[in-house]
C-alpha cells in the first residue's frame, strides 16, 4: 500500500489508486478503487494524498507542453506558446524539486524504519510531511486551468490570452494571498516571468532591439505587425485586440500618420514603435513605460538616421549596462530565512521597481541630452514651433483670411450639392486629396506664406468615422466645412524626437477652435456690410418715392393717382420704410452685440493667451540653446546640463497644455457653450446674408425685409425674422451662461479638469496649475475676459432699459 501511495504521489496511478471519475468522464483526482478493507477515515486520508499526485501529474504535463517553445503538443499549438509561459514552466519545475525530494525522503525513512511506530507507519506521519503542499497545489492547479482556458477553449474569444504583461498581472494577483506558502510560490513564479521581461527591457533600452519572437513585450514594432511577418508575434496582440472594443488614440493616429508619411523616405520613430496598453504590467507605471519607449526609439532611430547614422558612444552603453544588469542577476544561494530549504537557488530574486525607475530615468536623461546635442534638434524645433505659431495658432492673419475664403468656396462649390446631410454623406464623396489644394491656394494669395518652405508639411485631412468609438476627433472639427476636418503636420526626423503625434492632435484641436472663432468674426464683418447695404437701400427707396410724388405730395390727389407703394405706406397707413428701417436697425444691434463678444474672445485668445505664452516658450528655447552653445564653446567647460532636453521638452508640454486650457478646451461645459455661441453667430450671419443677397443696395425687395411688409405677406421673410429673434434670445442666454461659468472659474481658480498630461514629463510640478513663479496666470487672463464681457453685459442692460422706456 505505501509503495503504491508513493508511486501515486509521483503522478503515476496503479491498481489501487486510479483516476476518478473513470472514463469517459474527465478525471479530476486519483482515488482508492475497490479496496473494502480500509476504514473510511483511512480511505479519506489516502484520497487526500492521492489528490496531490494528480496535481503533480497535471503540473508535469503543463511543464512538458510549455517549457520548450518548439515542443509539439496537440493541445497547445506552437503559436500559442511564448517565453513567459516557458519561464513560468521552468520556475514551476524548480519549485517542484522540493516536492520530489519530499517523496524521496519519505521513502528513505520508511525503508530505514525511522517512521515505524510499533511495526507500522502511521498515515498521519506521511500526511503531516505533505501538508504544506495541500495548501499550495490547488492554487497552482487553478492557475494552470486559467491559462489553459485562455488558449484551448473553443470559445476563447470570451477569455484572455495569458501572456506577457497579462500573465504577470495574473501572477501578481495570485501572489496577494494570505496563505504564506501560496504567496511564496506565486511570488517565485511572478519573478520568473519578470526575469524575461527585464531581459527584454535591457535589450530595448541598451541596444534599441526588440527580442520578442512571440509578440509578448509591451513595446512592439508597428511595421512588423502590419506586414504580418510572424504568426507567433501577432497572435497575442491580435487576440487581445479582438477581446477589447476600443483602441488607443495613439495607435489609430500613428497608423494614419505612418501611412501618410511612408513615402517620405525618412526615419519616422513615431510611426515605427508603440506601446501596447493591454500588455503593460500593472507594476510598470505608464510614465515608466513611456520612458522605456523613448529610450529604445531614440537608440533605434539614431542608428537608422539618414544620411549618416548616429551611434550611441560605447562608453555610455557600458555604463548603462552596469546600472541595469544587477537588477536581473539571479541569487547564488538561498537565504537562511528561506522557509523552504529545498527551494531552488536559481529562482530570480524580487524585482526592485524603485531601482528600475531610477535607472531608467538616468538612462533616458543621458540618451536625450546626447542626441539633443549631437543632432542639434534645438534649431529645428524653433523653426517648427514658429511655423506652428503661424498656421496652427493662426499667427499669420493674411494666410488665415485666404484659408477661410478657400474653405467657404469649397463648401459652396463641393458640399452644397450634398444637401443637409453632409456630415454622413460628405465623407463618402470627399477625399483627402480634394482638400490638398486649399493650403497651397491660400498660400498663393498670401504674400507672407507664398515662399514658406514649412508650409508643405501642413495638410488638411478628413476625420473618418471608425467602427469603434471615435476619440481622436475634436469638438470643433466639423465647424470648418460641416464635416470633420483637421490640420496635420508631417513629422520627420529629428523633429519627431521632440514632438509626438499626440502633440499634433492637441495643436489640431486648437486650430479648429481658433478657425471657428476667426470665421465667425469674419462673417460678422461681412454682415455689417450687408446691413449697411440694406439700410442704404431703404434710403434710396425713400428718395425715389419722394421724387415720384414730386409737387403732388402736398396737393389733394384723386383716388388712384398715388398707390400705397408710391407713398411707402400700406393700406392701413403704416410707413413701410420706417418699419423696415427699424427692423434693419434691430438686426444691426444684434450684430454689434455678437461682434463685441466674438472680438473679446478673439482678443483674449491671441493677445492674452497665445501671444505671451508661445513667445515666452520660443524665447526660453532660444536662450537655453544659446547658453548651451556658449558653454560648450568654452575650453574645459562641463558637459551640457542633464536637464537640457527635459527642461525644454517640459516647457513645450506645459505651454501647449496651458494654451488648450486657457482656450477652455479642457472643460466640456465651457467648450460646448462657446460652440453654441459661435454656431448661433454663423446661423445669424447666414440669414442676414440671404436676406441681403438680392437687395444689394439697389433697392430690390425680394431678399430684403421689405418683401414681407405691406399687403403682400412673405412667409419666408417672417420665418427668417422669427429665426433671428430666436437666435438673438439663444445668444443672450448662452452668453449669460458663459459669463456665469467663467465667474465660477475665477472664484474657484480651476476649470474642473485635472492637470493631467498624457505624456509624462519631468519638471512640471505644480506650475502646470499656474502656481509656479513664471507660470501662465490663467486666473488673471480669465478675469480680463470677464471684465470685457461685463462691459458688454452692462451695455446690453442699459439698451434694454432704454427700449422699455
Amino acid at each position: 500500500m505505501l509503495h503504491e501511495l508513493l508511486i501515486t504521489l509521483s503522478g503515476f496511478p496503479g491498481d489501487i489508486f486510479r483516476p476518478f471519475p473513470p472514463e469517459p468522464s474527465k478525471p479530476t483526482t486519483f482515488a482508492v478503487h475497490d479496496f473494502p478493507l480500509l476504514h473510511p477515515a483511512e480511505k479519506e486520508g489516502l484520497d487526500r494524498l492521492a489528490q496531490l499526485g494528480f496535481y503533480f501529474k497535471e503540473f508535469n504535463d503543463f511543464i512538458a507542453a510549455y517549457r520548450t517553445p518548439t515542443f509539439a503538443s496537440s493541445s497547445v499549438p506552437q503559436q500559442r506558446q511564448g517565453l513567459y509561459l516557458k519561464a513560468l514552466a521552468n520556475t514551476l519545475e524548480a519549485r517542484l524539486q522540493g516536492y520530489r525530494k519530499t517523496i524521496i525522503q519519505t521513502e528513505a525513512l520508511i525503508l530505514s524504519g525511522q517512521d515505524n511506530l510499533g511495526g507500522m507507519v502511521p498515515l498521519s506521519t506521511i500526511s503531516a510531511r505533505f501538508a504544506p503542499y495541500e495548501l499550495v497545489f490547488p492554487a497552482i492547479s487553478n492557475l494552470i486551468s486559467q491559462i489553459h482556458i485562455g488558449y484551448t477553449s473553443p470559445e476563447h474569444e470570451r477569455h484572455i490570452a495569458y501572456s506577457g504583461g497579462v500573465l504577470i498581472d495574473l501572477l501578481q494577483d495570485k501572489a496577494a494571498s494570505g496563505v504564506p506558502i501560496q504567496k511564496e510560490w506565486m511570488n517565485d513564479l511572478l519573478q520568473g516571468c519578470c526575469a524575461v521581461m527585464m531581459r527584454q527591457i535591457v535589450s530595448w533600452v541598451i541596444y534599441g532591439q526588440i527580442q520578442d519572437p512571440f509578440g509578448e513585450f509591451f513595446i512592439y514594432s508597428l511595421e512588423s505587425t502590419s506586414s504580418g511577418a510572424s504568426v507567433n508575434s501577432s497572435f497575442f496582440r491580435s487576440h487581445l485586440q479582438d477581446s477589447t472594443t476600443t483602441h488607443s488614440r495613439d495607435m489609430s493616429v500613428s497608423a494614419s500618420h505612418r501611412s501618410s508619411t511612408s513615402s517620405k523616405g525618412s526615419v519616422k520613430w513615431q510611426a515605427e514603435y508603440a506601446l501596447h496598453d493591454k500588455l503593460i504590467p500593472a507594476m510598470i507605471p505608464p510614465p515608466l513605460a513611456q520612458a522605456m519607449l523613448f529610450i529604445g526609439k531614440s537608440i533605434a532611430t539614431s542608428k537608422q538616421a539618414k544620411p549618416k547614422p548616429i551611434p550611441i558612444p560605447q562608453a555610455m552603453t557600458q555604463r548603462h549596462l552596469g546600472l541595469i544588469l544587477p537588477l536581473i542577476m539571479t541569487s547564488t544561494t538561498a537565504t537562511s530565512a528561506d522557509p523552504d530549504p529545498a527551494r531552488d537557488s536559481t529562482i530570480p530574486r524580487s524585482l526592485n521597481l524603485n531601482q528600475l525607475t531610477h535607472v531608467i530615468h538616468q538612462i533616458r536623461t543621458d540618451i536625450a541630452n546626447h542626441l539633443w546635442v549631437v543632432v542639434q534638434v534645438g534649431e529645428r524645433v524653433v523653426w517648427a514651433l514658429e511655423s506652428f505659431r503661424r498656421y496652427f495658432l493662426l499667427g499669420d492673419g493674411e494666410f488665415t483670411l485666404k484659408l477661410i475664403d478657400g474653405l467657404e468656396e469649397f463648401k459652396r462649390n463641393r458640399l452644397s450639392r450634398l444637401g443637409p446631410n453632409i456630415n454622413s454623406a460628405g465623407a463618402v464623396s470627399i477625399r483627402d486629396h480634394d482638400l490638398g489644394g486649399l493650403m497651397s491656394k491660400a498660400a498663393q494669395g498670401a504674400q507672407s506664406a507664398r515662399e514658406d518652405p514649412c508650409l508643405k508639411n501642413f495638410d488638411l485631412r478628413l476625420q473618418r468615422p471608425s467602427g469603434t468609438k471615435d476619440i481622436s476627433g475634436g469638438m470643433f472639427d466639423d465647424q470648418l466645412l460641416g464635416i470633420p476636418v483637421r490640420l496635420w503636420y508631417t513629422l520627420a526626423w529629428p523633429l519627431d524626437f521632440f514632438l509626438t503625434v499626440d502633440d499634433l492632435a492637441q495643436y489640431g484641436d486648437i486650430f479648429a477652435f481658433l478657425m471657428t472663432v476667426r470665421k465667425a468674426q469674419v462673417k460678422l464683418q461681412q454682415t455689417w456690410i450687408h446691413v449697411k447695404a440694406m439700410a442704404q437701400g431703404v434710403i434710396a427707396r425713400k428718395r425715389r418715392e419722394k421724387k415720384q410724388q414730386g409737387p403732388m405730395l402736398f396737393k389733394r390727389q384723386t383716388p388712384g393717382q398715388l398707390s400705397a407703394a408710391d407713398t411707402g405706406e400700406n393700406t392701413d397707413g403704416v410707413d413701410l420704410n420706417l418699419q423696415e428701417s427699424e427692423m434693419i436697425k434691430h438686426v444691426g444691434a444684434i450684430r454689434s452685440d455678437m461682434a463685441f463678444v466674438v472680438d473679446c474672445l478673439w482678443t483674449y485668445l491671441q493677445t492674452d493667451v497665445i501671444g505671451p505664452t508661445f513667445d515666452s516658450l520660443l524665447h526660453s528655447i532660444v536662450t537655453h540653446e544659446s547658453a548651451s552653445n556658449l558653454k560648450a564653446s568654452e575650453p574645459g567647460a562641463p558637459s551640457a546640463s542633464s536637464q537640457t532636453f527635459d527642461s525644454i521638452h517640459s516647457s513645450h508640454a506645459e505651454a501647449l497644455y496651458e494654451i488648450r486650457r486657457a482656450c477652455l478646451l479642457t472643460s466640456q461645459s465651457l467648450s460646448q457653450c462657446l460652440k453654441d455661441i459661435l454656431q448661433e453667430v454663423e446661423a445669424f450671419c447666414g440669414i442676414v446674408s440671404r436676406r441681403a443677397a438680392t437687395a444689394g443696395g439697389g433697392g430690390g425687395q425680394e431678399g430684403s425685409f421689405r418683401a414681407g411688409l405691406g399687403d403682400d405677406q412673405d412667409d419666408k421673410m417672417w420665418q427668417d425674422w422669427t429665426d433671428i429673434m430666436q437666435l438673438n434670445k439663444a445668444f443672450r442666454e448662452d452668453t449669460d451662461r458663459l459669463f456665469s461659468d467663467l465667474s465660477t472659474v475665477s472664484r474657484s481658480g480651476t476649470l474642473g479638469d485635472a492637470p493631467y498630461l498624457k505624456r509624462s514629463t519631468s519638471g512640471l510640478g505644480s506650475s502646470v496649475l499656474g502656481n509656479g513663479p513664471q507660470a501662465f496666470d490663467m486666473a488673471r487672463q480669465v478675469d480680463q475676459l470677464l471684465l470685457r464681457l461685463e462691459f458688454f453685459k452692462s451695455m446690453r442692460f442699459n439698451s434694454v432699459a432704454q427700449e422699455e422706456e
Side-chain angles (χ1 to χ4, degrees):
M1 173 65 73
L2 294 179
H3 179 71
E4 287 281 347
L5 177 60
L6 292 177
I7 292 178
T8 303
L9 286 172
S10 300
F12 301 99
D15 295 334
I16 299 178
F17 297 94
R18 299 180 181 179
F20 183 85
E23 296 181 353
S25 300
K26 181 180 180 180
T28 58
T29 185
F30 294 148
V32 177
H33 177 72
D34 193 18
F35 206 90
L37 300 179
L38 291 175
H39 188 274
E42 292 178 319
K43 184 178 185 302
E44 181 182 354
L46 291 172
D47 288 345
R48 191 168 60 249
L49 288 173
Q51 177 71 67
L52 295 179
F54 185 84
Y55 286 145
F56 186 65
K57 179 180 182 300
E58 182 183 6
F59 300 160
N60 286 329
D61 292 341
F62 172 81
I63 292 171
Y66 289 95
R67 188 173 187 178
T68 304
T70 58
F71 181 82
S73 173
S74 58
S75 61
V76 184
Q78 179 180 348
Q79 65 267 25
R80 300 189 181 187
Q81 301 172 0
L83 297 178
Y84 286 78
L85 287 174
K86 179 182 178 181
L88 176 66
N90 287 337
T91 308
L92 180 60
E93 171 75 11
R95 285 309 313 241
L96 289 176
Q97 292 299 325
Y99 177 79
R100 294 188 178 93
K101 292 179 181 178
T102 303
I103 295 176
I104 295 174
Q105 291 174 0
T106 301
E107 184 179 17
L109 292 174
I110 292 175
L111 295 176
S112 64
Q114 297 183 23
D115 282 349
N116 292 347
L117 293 177
M120 61 178 297
V121 178
L123 185 60
S124 59
T125 301
I126 300 178
S127 298
R129 193 168 289 128
F130 286 92
Y133 299 102
E134 294 183 10
L135 298 176
V136 68
F137 274 20
I140 301 297
S141 177
N142 182 51
L143 171 67
I144 292 176
S145 298
Q146 283 188 256
I147 295 174
H148 270 305
I149 290 175
Y151 292 112
T152 61
S153 173
E155 298 180 355
H156 61 273
E157 291 83 1
R158 301 181 182 179
H159 306 286
I160 301 175
Y162 290 107
S163 183
V166 182
L167 180 59
I168 289 178
D169 289 341
L170 175 64
L171 293 172
Q172 192 172 17
D173 292 339
K174 297 287 186 181
S177 173
V179 182
I181 188 173
Q182 180 178 336
K183 179 178 181 179
E184 174 191 324
W185 277 59
M186 292 297 181
N187 189 64
D188 285 344
L189 297 178
L190 172 64
Q191 298 310 319
C193 293
C194 287
V196 177
M197 180 183 67
M198 280 301 303
R199 285 171 171 80
Q200 290 178 329
I201 290 175
V202 170
S203 175
W204 175 246
V205 302
I206 299 299
Y207 304 105
Q209 299 177 358
I210 297 179
Q211 302 296 334
D212 188 22
F214 294 93
E216 303 167 286
F217 193 37
F218 55 84
I219 298 174
Y220 69 104
S221 173
L222 291 170
E223 292 186 352
S224 62
T225 303
S226 61
S227 62
S230 174
V231 176
N232 294 340
S233 63
S234 62
F235 171 77
F236 294 112
R237 293 196 179 96
S238 63
H239 191 90
L240 285 171
Q241 291 173 358
D242 291 341
S243 63
T244 184
T245 58
T246 59
H247 295 279
S248 66
R249 174 180 180 170
D250 286 344
M251 289 181 63
S252 61
V253 174
S254 297
S256 62
H257 178 68
R258 181 180 69 251
S259 61
S260 64
T261 58
S262 59
S263 61
K264 298 294 183 180
S266 60
V267 179
K268 307 170 292 297
W269 79 340
Q270 296 295 342
E272 289 186 351
Y273 303 101
L275 289 174
H276 197 302
D277 295 336
K278 300 298 181 181
L279 289 178
I280 301 177
M283 64 172 61
I284 303 293
L288 182 59
Q290 289 285 352
M292 295 177 185
L293 177 65
F294 175 86
I295 294 171
K297 286 197 300 185
S298 301
I299 298 174
T301 306
S302 62
K303 291 180 179 179
Q304 303 171 22
K306 297 179 181 179
K308 182 179 180 181
I310 307 172
I312 303 299
Q314 187 66 24
M316 182 181 295
T317 300
Q318 293 298 325
R319 185 164 62 87
H320 293 166
L321 275 174
L323 292 174
I324 199 171
L325 282 181
L327 300 180
I328 61 173
M329 298 296 292
T330 57
S331 57
T332 56
T333 57
T335 61
S336 59
D338 195 336
D340 186 3
R343 183 178 178 183
D344 194 272
S345 61
T346 61
I347 296 176
R349 57 187 177 187
S350 299
L351 173 63
N352 192 322
L353 190 59
N354 291 331
Q355 292 183 3
L356 177 63
T357 303
H358 175 73
V359 169
I360 292 298
H361 176 72
Q362 187 170 353
I363 294 176
R364 180 189 183 278
T365 301
D366 293 344
I367 295 295
N369 290 334
H370 170 73
L371 293 180
W372 183 268
V373 174
V374 173
V375 185
Q376 297 180 350
V377 185
E379 295 181 359
R380 295 177 174 88
V381 168
V382 172
W383 296 338
L385 293 182
E386 288 177 347
S387 66
F388 287 4
R389 176 70 177 91
R390 291 193 299 272
Y391 303 121
F392 271 124
L393 305 181
L394 308 190
D396 191 333
E398 184 181 8
F399 175 81
T400 301
L401 292 177
K402 295 298 182 181
L403 182 59
I404 291 175
D405 294 340
L407 289 171
E408 290 299 307
E409 182 181 357
F410 183 85
K411 187 175 181 180
R412 289 192 304 268
N413 297 337
R414 295 295 304 274
L415 301 182
S416 60
R417 299 192 300 269
L418 299 175
N421 299 323
I422 59 175
N423 287 332
S424 59
V428 177
S429 58
I430 302 300
R431 296 179 174 85
D432 288 337
H433 72 269
D434 296 327
L435 304 175
L438 294 179
M439 295 292 291
S440 58
K441 184 177 180 181
Q444 292 300 321
Q447 183 66 30
S448 56
R450 189 174 302 168
E451 303 297 334
D452 190 354
C454 297
L455 188 62
K456 66 178 183 299
N457 295 322
F458 292 87
D459 61 295
L460 291 168
R461 301 180 191 173
L462 292 172
Q463 290 295 106
R464 301 288 183 179
S466 59
T468 58
K469 184 178 179 181
D470 186 12
I471 59 176
S472 61
M475 179 179 291
F476 293 88
D477 287 348
D478 58 347
Q479 298 301 298
L480 300 181
L481 289 175
I483 55 178
V485 176
R486 291 179 73 83
L487 180 64
W488 281 98
Y489 181 86
T490 302
L491 283 175
W493 174 263
L495 287 180
D496 48 6
F497 174 75
F498 180 83
L499 300 169
T500 67
V501 176
D502 187 67
D503 291 336
L504 299 183
Q506 295 186 55
Y507 275 113
D509 293 340
I510 300 173
F511 168 80
F513 171 62
L514 294 177
M515 281 291 290
T516 305
V517 177
R518 186 68 175 113
K519 186 177 70 169
Q521 190 180 42
V522 171
K523 287 195 172 186
L524 285 170
Q525 294 171 356
Q526 296 172 349
T527 302
W528 179 84
I529 299 176
H530 297 326
V531 172
K532 286 297 182 181
M534 288 190 292
Q536 291 295 331
V538 174
I539 296 175
R541 191 181 301 112
K542 288 182 179 180
R543 293 174 178 173
R544 289 197 307 271
E545 292 169 355
K546 290 183 179 180
K547 185 176 180 180
Q548 291 175 2
Q549 295 174 18
M552 293 188 300
L553 182 63
F554 302 100
K555 296 182 180 180
R556 183 177 181 85
Q557 303 296 325
T558 58
Q561 287 181 322
L562 284 178
S563 63
D566 294 332
T567 60
E569 298 178 356
N570 61 6
T571 55
D572 297 331
V574 179
D575 190 343
L576 301 181
N577 291 326
L578 179 60
Q579 186 177 359
E580 183 182 8
S581 297
E582 291 297 326
M583 296 175 70
I584 294 175
K585 181 180 179 181
H586 194 61
V587 171
I590 296 174
R591 190 216 70 87
S592 298
D593 291 345
M594 291 182 173
F596 185 85
V597 173
V598 174
D599 289 344
C600 288
L601 180 61
W602 181 255
T603 303
Y604 161 75
L605 294 173
Q606 289 292 344
T607 305
D608 298 337
V609 176
I610 296 176
T613 305
F614 219 76
D615 292 344
S616 177
L617 171 65
L618 291 176
H619 178 73
S620 64
I621 295 177
V622 173
T623 303
H624 200 105
E625 281 293 296
S626 300
S628 300
N629 295 336
L630 180 62
K631 182 180 295 186
S633 63
E634 296 176 356
S639 59
S641 171
S642 61
Q643 296 298 321
T644 299
F645 175 81
D646 284 341
S647 60
I648 299 178
H649 194 264
S650 300
S651 298
H652 173 260
E654 182 177 357
L656 181 57
Y657 177 83
E658 291 296 354
I659 289 176
R660 287 189 72 249
R661 197 161 180 250
C663 290
L664 312 179
L665 295 178
T666 58
S667 172
Q668 179 70 22
S669 59
L670 288 172
S671 298
Q672 187 61 50
C673 184
L674 287 173
K675 184 176 182 180
D676 293 340
I677 291 175
L678 296 173
Q679 285 178 336
E680 290 153 5
V681 169
E682 185 171 0
F684 167 80
C685 295
I687 295 175
V688 176
S689 176
R690 186 169 62 252
R691 298 313 309 173
T694 55
Q701 297 183 7
E702 183 180 349
S704 64
F705 291 101
R706 181 65 175 270
L709 303 178
D711 298 331
D712 298 331
Q713 298 294 322
D714 187 352
D715 295 336
K716 293 183 179 180
M717 190 281 290
W718 287 113
Q719 181 62 46
D720 287 344
W721 180 256
T722 303
D723 292 341
I724 289 176
M725 294 301 103
Q726 292 177 351
L727 288 172
N728 182 38
K729 180 182 178 181
F731 171 78
R732 291 172 179 266
E733 292 175 351
D734 290 335
T735 305
D736 290 339
R737 179 160 58 96
L738 175 64
F739 186 87
S740 176
D741 292 345
L742 288 176
S743 299
T744 303
V745 171
S746 179
R747 291 192 300 268
S748 63
T750 178
L751 284 172
D753 61 318
Y756 171 72
L757 287 176
K758 293 185 177 180
R759 182 184 62 258
S760 176
T761 54
S762 60
L764 286 176
S766 62
S767 63
V768 76
L769 289 173
N771 299 327
Q774 297 179 348
F776 178 77
D777 190 358
M778 178 181 172
R780 181 173 62 85
Q781 306 300 343
V782 171
D783 288 341
Q784 292 182 2
L785 178 59
L786 281 172
L787 182 62
R788 296 187 180 99
L789 294 178
E790 178 65 26
F791 174 77
F792 161 72
K793 193 174 181 181
S794 61
M795 291 296 294
R796 193 187 69 193
F797 286 159
N798 292 336
S799 62
V800 171
Q802 292 176 1
E803 290 178 0
E804 292 178 352
E805 292 178 359

